[in-house]
Amino acid sequence: MVSGNLFHCRRNSWPPEEYIHRSTLQLFDFDSAGPPEQAWRRKLDTHASILREFSITFVEAIKMIRLGIRLWSYVREEASHGRKAPIDPFTRESCKPSASHGIPLGGMGSGSISRGFRGEFRHFQLLPGACEASPIMANQFSIFISRDGGNKKYASVLAPGQHEGLGKSGDQGISSWGWNLDGQHSTYHALFPRAWTIYDGEPDPELKISCRQISPFIPHNYRESSLPTAVFVYTLVNTGKERAKVSLLFTWANSIGGVSHMSGDHVNEPFIGEDGVSGVLLNHRTTKDNPPVTYAIAASETQNVSVSVLPCFGLTEGSCVTAKDMWGKMVEDGHFDRENFTKGPSMPSSPGETHCAAVSASTWVEPHGKCTVAFAVAWSSPKVKFMKGKSYNRRYTKYYGTSEKAAVDLVHDALTNYKLWEEEIERWQTPILKDDRLPEWYKFTLFNELYFLVSGGTVWIDSSLPTEDSWEVQNEAVPVKIKEVTVSKTQENHNQDMENNQTVVNTHVDMMYVNSQDDGVKSLKVSNERASNNSDEKDESTLFRRRFESRFTTSSSKLLENDTDDVGRFLYLEGVEYIMWNTYDVHFYASFALLELFPKIELSIQREFAKAVLCEDKRKVKFLAEGNCGIRKVKGAVPHDLGTHDPWHEMNAYNIHDTSRWKDLNPKFVLQVYRDFAATGDFSFAADVWPSVRAAMEYMEQFDRDHDGLIENDGFPDQTYDTWTVHGISAYCGGLWLAALQAAAAMAVQLGDRAFAERCKSKFVKAKAVFEEKLWNGSYFNYDSGSSSNSKSIQADQLAGQWYTASSGLPDLFDKVKIQSALQKVYDFNVMKNRGGRMGAVNGMYPNGKIDETCMQSREIWTGVTYSVAANMILAGMVEQGFTTAEGIFLAGWSEEGHGYAFQTPEGWSIDGHFRSLLYMRPLSIWGIQRAMSSTKTTLEAPVMNIMDRINIPYHNSTLSSRSESGVKKIAHKAKCFKNSVFHCAC
């Protein structure tokens, strides 16, 4: 797909007039029927090329051979238990990835279905951690047009060409349908969460058609954004001189992707709902004891639109009604029989048989007249079940209950509320779209990268408690105290491969089940041990900690859920190929999107990790890179992830390295917590997580082996770049540590922890001097302080700590000259010497202008890191360089001349554009650019650090001794001024 144009010219605008006749656009200039001025666009006849995956070099293969053997053995072991390994490079999908993706359907966390830009429904992710990539070709929209008393007819599926999965034209299945659309005059326009498909005279030259796809992704709306539903609004404009009878058809297979439709025992049934909403329910019985899924497809009947259904048809000759029969009926009559609504549930499908359903909406369109027809699809799977047995109610059940038939209510509400959704979406997007400071490519890419919050395997549950859990108290709520939680072979199926009586959590846990007066929902209160106890602390600090921990114990349920802002619990995958929930080193980059759009979810994730910091899991784990063993979770260490098959209960699914020895996770936790605190001004959140912040900082002291205040790396890839070895002090981890010291000190001052602020400030002063002495070379910071061949490499991400510092409103880590010099070096070398800036920033570059090929990751371009580097440049006043850097990702990944990664942005690609790990979390960091461009970055005004000031922090006993909600408000009111402190006040 890459043409020479990519490296010779840049476009600044993609107006819809280049894709659609101006006269057609004018016809749709009402009721949001026309595409927006700024959007990602494609013609439907665009070739969807097969994507090319990266390959490792011979040298890299030799280095990783032991890891490969151990990983292969681990993948086979997991498969023997019926589980998928979180990282499995050996198994490939039968459906090869192609450049065909578009806007996904639905809100967040209730399963997702993607829809390609040519109209195919694909990438079904209705079960946690499972993705069925192949399109289901029976799921289609089709149109039937009759003019001149039936003498002029058109019938076609509204998708171009002979798609994959079609059989011979003479069979009884979907190949018998009219696949007559050329696609040459039809275009797709994407601006997440909406998409427009314009059929400009196809298949009827005198009928203009707009299909508007709408999903309920609405920032700060925690109800609608959880709904598993989407709406398709068809606007029909008759430019001819004759009346046209138009029938639109929506067909859907009873399938959750793959070959699930063949498993049998699936049942379809028609329904007539309220407000003219009617359609078909498709009850899908899943295999492997997974919860059932129920679809509803429906249309709105109005004064001008008549709705009819065919509850069940099959794809093979033995079916009672075949796909060919169904198509013939629509060609002949343009509708189905009304008595179909009176039919009850169909007979359950037999194994090997596919049940499909159809909904038709028919209308007359007068000459030069217009008409609107609305369809919707919803999928209801109230429980989400993880592989090792625990089930939870999805977030939307809070509003729709746990019946699978909630799908009827979901499509009803979607069809009656979608206009309100659109008003909210436009209110959110319009200020950004009209911001003249921002380049056009950035505006629509900013919104479109949010696809991952739907397609990234997201799971959003209503409660912190599983619906079925070995901990659950079955009868009356009674207090239970557990000092050690033990797991044996007989307790749960998911523990059969663990040794008897292994200690899992070595914390003091007070579990109190409290029945809510409203809905009987049980809440779990967990109090953790003290984070740490430094014998050298002053008495005043010890008194502070005791008071703080007392408060932490009595209200620690907020580590699970904020009682006043209950948003449930939220998970999203590192990527569809790396099946780990909430991978924290990557969330460090991606979290800017959640903080901006759903800050309560972001705070809930941080509470989860704060709780995890204080926990320990002593189950043995084998680490595959070195072949050594350790425990699953070390107390004080931030976990790499929240798990795969038993999230929250079995963390650290990642087992390549021992991440308790990684140097970036703990600083990233502290930085994210402070950034979120500064952005939201939520003192209650800050107080809740503060013991974990202290524990995380104190845990890192073990890695300062020479007591110079600065942590050292340990000669293996102990960071997010997990194939890129680091020796001694590193720019990346060392910079994160400096930033974490500053953030922790600032937070300590805000919360009144005098002694800890003093300790962090003292360490910062020492560590900064060492960092600059060991790494600054006059123009940038060396990769590390070792003597390896790449120690002087220019790392694109060398100022990640500074990025967070600036994003949080804290003082710069270094003087501005050094920051701009280092970023300019990255721009000149990592960006511009890499295909002229048209590919993004390569991770490593030698000072001689050659790419650092030390390992696989040093030579890759990471999309999310490039966005973060761009944000860093903008924060440093280098706006032009920042947008040029970020534009490389658009040019290589999203543009028509690029490599075809739209709506499946990978972790990275090689300089040849070959991808690694499609649909990845980190590119959400593009929202870090938006934060950098925002005029107000923080709610709190952070105290300014002056490292030359004497430490003298006034401590007020009343600050945290009484932490009522009113007390929090008082602290927030006074927080901006800290006279005579480690910081000097800028008031």
Side-chain angles (χ1 to χ4, degrees):
M1 282 188 68
V2 181
S3 73
N5 293 335
L6 175 62
F7 306 110
H8 295 288
C9 66
R10 288 179 173 171
R11 296 184 60 181
N12 296 317
S13 181
W14 294 261
E17 293 85 355
E18 288 190 12
Y19 296 79
I20 309 169
H21 289 112
R22 189 180 297 273
S23 59
T24 301
L25 286 172
Q26 291 172 347
L27 292 173
F28 290 128
D29 189 20
F30 72 100
D31 196 28
S32 302
E37 284 295 317
Q38 295 155 332
W40 181 87
R41 313 186 197 277
R42 287 294 182 274
K43 289 189 174 182
L44 264 61
D45 64 349
T46 301
H47 175 61
S49 61
I50 300 299
L51 304 180
R52 295 176 296 176
E53 191 169 8
F54 87 109
S55 58
I56 60 175
T57 66
F58 178 76
V59 173
E60 290 166 353
I62 294 298
K63 289 180 180 178
M64 294 193 290
I65 191 166
R66 289 191 179 92
L67 168 61
I69 293 170
R70 296 186 192 109
L71 183 56
W72 168 251
S73 176
Y74 174 68
V75 168
R76 292 183 61 187
E77 179 187 353
E78 286 294 286
S80 71
H81 294 289
R83 300 190 294 262
K84 184 174 176 61
I87 300 175
D88 179 6
F90 309 106
T91 305
R92 287 290 175 264
E93 296 286 346
S94 57
C95 175
K96 293 183 179 180
S98 62
S100 58
H101 282 228
I103 299 280
L105 311 182
M108 301 187 298
S110 295
S112 70
I113 302 166
S114 291
R115 193 177 186 219
F117 71 84
R118 296 184 300 177
E120 71 278 11
F121 294 87
R122 60 192 311 141
H123 264 260
F124 287 71
Q125 297 183 84
L126 303 183
L127 303 177
C131 179
E132 295 289 353
S134 299
I136 297 179
M137 297 308 298
N139 296 359
Q140 296 289 347
F141 284 101
S142 304
I143 194 164
F144 304 83
I145 307 162
S146 177
R147 294 178 182 271
D148 192 21
N151 293 324
K152 189 187 297 183
K153 287 189 173 184
Y154 302 90
S156 180
V157 177
L158 288 174
Q162 289 287 320
H163 279 241
E164 52 190 293
L166 299 182
K168 298 178 181 178
S169 59
D171 67 18
Q172 300 295 308
I174 61 175
S175 296
S176 62
W177 298 354
W179 298 86
N180 303 317
L181 197 76
D182 180 83
Q184 188 176 2
H185 302 291
S186 300
T187 51
Y188 180 84
H189 312 259
L191 186 66
F192 180 90
R194 297 189 291 174
W196 292 255
T197 305
I198 307 298
Y199 305 89
D200 194 358
E202 290 188 279
D204 180 352
E206 296 181 327
L207 186 71
K208 311 297 183 181
I209 308 165
S210 165
C211 173
R212 189 164 83 257
Q213 173 187 314
I214 310 152
S215 290
F217 184 97
I218 305 169
H220 308 287
N221 187 327
Y222 297 86
R223 182 187 190 279
E224 304 297 302
S225 299
S226 71
L227 304 185
T229 185
V231 177
F232 304 89
V233 181
Y234 280 85
T235 302
L236 310 171
V237 180
N238 184 2
T239 61
K241 298 179 180 179
E242 303 168 313
R243 261 181 114 199
K245 181 183 180 182
V246 181
S247 297
L248 286 159
L249 177 70
F250 189 18
T251 53
W252 199 264
N254 197 326
S255 171
I256 59 170
V259 295
S260 60
H261 54 286
M262 308 286 283
S263 59
D265 216 17
H266 310 312
V267 175
N268 296 355
E269 57 180 310
F271 71 89
I272 299 177
E274 299 176 352
D275 301 315
V277 175
S278 53
V280 182
L281 279 174
L282 298 87
N283 304 293
H284 185 88
R285 186 164 186 169
T286 58
T287 58
K288 299 180 181 178
D289 199 31
N290 283 307
V293 178
T294 299
Y295 292 106
I297 58 171
S300 286
E301 185 157 297
T302 66
Q303 188 175 0
N304 301 317
V305 178
S306 175
V307 176
S308 60
V309 301
L310 182 63
C312 192
F313 68 89
L315 302 181
T316 57
E317 192 169 347
S319 305
C320 183
V321 179
T322 66
K324 185 175 184 179
D325 297 334
M326 183 277 299
W327 189 265
K329 174 72 172 175
M330 287 298 299
V331 170
E332 185 66 26
D333 300 335
H335 60 83
F336 301 115
D337 298 332
R338 292 291 297 181
E339 53 264 29
N340 285 348
F341 279 115
T342 63
K343 294 181 179 179
S346 67
M347 292 292 293
S349 62
S350 302
E353 180 185 17
T354 303
H355 275 184
C356 302
V359 175
S360 170
S362 304
T363 187
W364 286 93
V365 187
E366 300 298 326
H368 306 291
K370 302 174 182 178
C371 186
T372 298
V373 179
F375 292 88
V377 61
W379 49 99
S380 177
S381 184
K383 289 185 180 180
V384 55
K385 181 182 177 183
F386 293 97
M387 191 68 73
K388 290 193 173 181
K390 290 185 179 65
S391 298
Y392 303 82
N393 288 331
R394 293 189 188 268
R395 170 71 176 178
Y396 78 90
T397 64
K398 183 180 181 74
Y399 315 106
Y400 287 86
T402 57
S403 168
E404 286 86 1
K405 293 193 176 181
V408 173
D409 296 326
L410 284 162
V411 288
H412 169 272
D413 290 356
L415 287 167
T416 54
N417 293 333
Y418 73 85
K419 290 185 179 180
L420 297 176
W421 296 349
E422 289 192 284
E423 289 176 8
E424 291 298 315
I425 291 167
E426 289 172 6
R427 190 175 296 117
W428 157 46
Q429 293 183 335
T430 297
I432 295 174
L433 295 174
K434 290 187 175 180
D435 189 341
D436 294 334
R437 301 174 304 159
L438 307 176
E440 183 173 321
W441 67 264
Y442 166 79
K443 294 176 185 178
F444 59 77
T445 306
L446 175 73
F447 292 115
N448 286 336
E449 287 283 17
L450 291 171
Y451 82 91
F452 190 82
L453 289 177
V454 175
S455 288
T458 49
V459 171
W460 192 357
I461 66 170
D462 178 39
S463 168
S464 63
L465 283 177
T467 57
E468 299 170 5
D469 194 328
S470 58
W471 289 358
E472 186 168 350
V473 178
Q474 299 294 333
N475 300 313
E476 261 187 54
V478 292
V480 181
K481 186 163 186 175
I482 300 177
K483 290 190 177 180
E484 289 187 345
V485 181
T486 60
V487 180
S488 67
K489 290 183 179 180
T490 58
Q491 276 184 301
E492 299 248 32
N493 291 335
H494 67 269
N495 293 322
Q496 56 186 284
D497 56 342
M498 297 296 173
E499 294 180 9
N500 283 324
N501 300 321
Q502 284 183 307
T503 302
V504 180
V505 183
N506 187 22
T507 61
H508 295 289
V509 182
D510 289 327
M511 293 195 300
M512 183 75 72
Y513 292 90
V514 182
N515 291 322
S516 166
Q517 295 178 353
D518 298 335
D519 52 12
V521 175
K522 294 176 179 178
S523 65
L524 175 64
K525 293 186 177 180
V526 180
S527 68
N528 295 277
E529 285 183 325
R530 293 174 56 181
S532 64
N533 185 16
N534 191 322
S535 60
D536 295 330
E537 288 180 334
K538 297 179 182 179
D539 292 340
E540 192 171 42
S541 179
T542 304
L543 176 62
F544 167 82
R545 173 174 284 189
R546 286 173 179 167
R547 284 178 177 146
F548 214 111
E549 288 169 354
S550 174
R551 192 261 170 185
F552 176 66
T553 300
T554 56
S555 66
S556 59
S557 62
K558 293 186 179 182
L559 281 178
L560 297 176
E561 295 178 21
N562 189 315
D563 297 332
T564 57
D565 294 316
D566 173 22
V567 293
R569 302 171 95 175
F570 188 86
L571 298 170
Y572 64 146
L573 292 174
E574 179 178 335
V576 295
E577 296 178 35
Y578 297 158
I579 309 172
M580 294 164 283
W581 300 111
N582 294 5
T583 301
Y584 201 71
D585 56 307
V586 185
H587 181 70
F588 173 78
Y589 298 84
S591 58
F592 281 88
L594 285 174
L595 177 62
E596 178 70 22
L597 306 176
F598 298 96
K600 292 180 183 178
I601 290 178
E602 168 61 12
L603 295 188
S604 77
I605 291 174
Q606 300 302 349
R607 283 189 168 95
E608 299 285 357
F609 277 91
K611 175 175 176 285
V613 167
L614 305 178
C615 292
E616 187 173 51
D617 184 340
K618 290 188 175 180
R619 284 175 287 185
K620 296 295 182 183
V621 174
K622 183 176 182 179
F623 302 113
L624 304 180
E626 294 84 14
N628 59 316
C629 291
I631 66 172
R632 179 171 290 279
K633 168 65 177 68
V634 176
K635 185 177 179 181
V638 173
H640 172 274
D641 55 80
L642 292 182
T644 292
H645 300 307
D646 192 9
W648 302 294
H649 298 273
E650 188 178 276
M651 293 174 283
N652 281 333
Y654 177 91
N655 60 351
I656 304 297
H657 299 288
D658 179 359
T659 59
S660 70
R661 295 176 59 206
W662 277 18
K663 309 308 183 293
D664 62 338
L665 287 169
N666 282 38
K668 284 176 175 176
F669 169 70
V670 175
L671 289 170
Q672 287 182 72
V673 163
Y674 183 79
R675 178 205 57 188
D676 296 350
F677 172 42
T680 63
D682 190 334
F683 272 79
S684 178
F685 163 75
D688 287 339
V689 302
W690 178 243
S692 299
V693 170
R694 287 196 54 152
M697 292 298 290
E698 289 164 354
Y699 179 86
M700 293 301 293
E701 292 176 1
Q702 64 182 299
F703 303 118
D704 177 15
R705 296 181 177 87
D706 53 5
H707 307 293
D708 60 0
L710 196 60
I711 61 172
E712 291 89 35
N713 292 82
D714 282 331
F716 75 102
D718 47 356
Q719 33 144 7
T720 193
Y721 300 90
D722 58 354
T723 68
W724 200 356
T725 298
V726 196
H727 299 275
I729 298 168
S730 72
Y732 184 70
C733 295
L736 290 171
W737 174 243
L738 287 178
L741 285 169
Q742 182 170 249
M747 194 168 177
V749 170
Q750 300 279 25
L751 296 175
D753 190 345
R754 168 184 174 177
F756 195 73
E758 181 179 337
R759 286 173 57 194
C760 290
K761 186 264 183 174
S762 177
K763 285 181 180 293
F764 177 86
V765 173
K766 290 171 60 179
K768 179 183 175 183
V770 174
F771 185 90
E772 292 187 312
E773 178 189 348
K774 294 290 182 68
L775 296 180
W776 181 250
N777 62 21
S779 59
Y780 66 95
F781 293 99
N782 290 336
Y783 176 68
D784 64 30
S785 63
S787 56
S788 62
S789 60
N790 70 324
S791 289
K792 289 184 169 52
S793 284
I794 308 162
Q795 184 180 11
D797 213 3
Q798 63 184 268
L799 288 179
Q802 167 60 28
W803 172 41
Y804 254 73
T805 293
S807 296
S808 305
L810 289 167
D812 290 337
L813 292 179
F814 315 104
D815 65 67
K816 193 170 184 178
V817 172
K818 287 181 178 177
I819 293 169
Q820 290 185 339
S821 174
L823 291 172
Q824 187 66 44
K825 193 75 172 184
V826 170
Y827 178 77
D828 292 339
F829 280 71
N830 303 60
V831 178
M832 299 309 294
K833 290 184 182 295
N834 177 25
R835 303 293 178 94
R838 271 75 171 179
M839 296 289 288
V842 67
N843 283 337
M845 179 77 77
Y846 288 124
N848 63 6
K850 293 184 178 180
I851 291 174
D852 182 349
E853 298 188 349
T854 304
C855 67
M856 172 184 74
Q857 291 175 344
S858 63
R859 62 182 173 89
E860 287 181 325
I861 296 103
W862 282 12
T863 54
V865 167
T866 297
Y867 285 146
S868 73
V869 170
N872 212 350
M873 291 175 177
I874 291 168
L875 288 164
M878 302 164 61
V879 177
E880 182 179 350
Q881 295 96 319
F883 277 115
T884 300
T885 296
E887 188 181 13
I889 301 302
F890 167 75
L891 291 170
W894 288 80
S895 72
E896 288 188 79
E897 298 81 14
H899 297 281
Y901 297 130
F903 303 103
Q904 51 187 327
T905 316
E907 157 74 312
W909 48 64
S910 65
I911 59 172
D912 297 320
H914 299 181
F915 75 87
R916 181 169 65 81
S917 186
L918 292 171
L919 283 98
Y920 198 77
M921 179 198 292
R922 205 184 314 253
L924 285 170
S925 62
I926 191 173
W927 281 85
I929 297 177
Q930 190 58 24
R931 185 166 183 79
M933 292 297 295
S934 299
S935 56
T936 54
K937 302 182 185 67
T938 58
T939 297
L940 292 180
E941 189 174 311
V944 181
M945 173 171 282
N946 183 344
I947 63 172
M948 302 305 294
D949 282 353
R950 185 173 61 87
I951 301 165
N952 181 18
I953 304 173
Y955 178 68
H956 303 288
N957 291 334
S958 61
T959 303
L960 288 169
S961 60
S962 176
R963 290 294 304 218
S964 63
E965 288 303 313
S966 60
V968 171
K969 291 177 183 176
K970 288 179 182 178
I971 296 169
H973 180 71
K974 297 178 180 178
K976 292 185 179 181
C977 186
F978 295 89
K979 296 178 180 177
N980 302 318
S981 73
V982 61
F983 307 98
H984 67 74
C985 182
C987 298

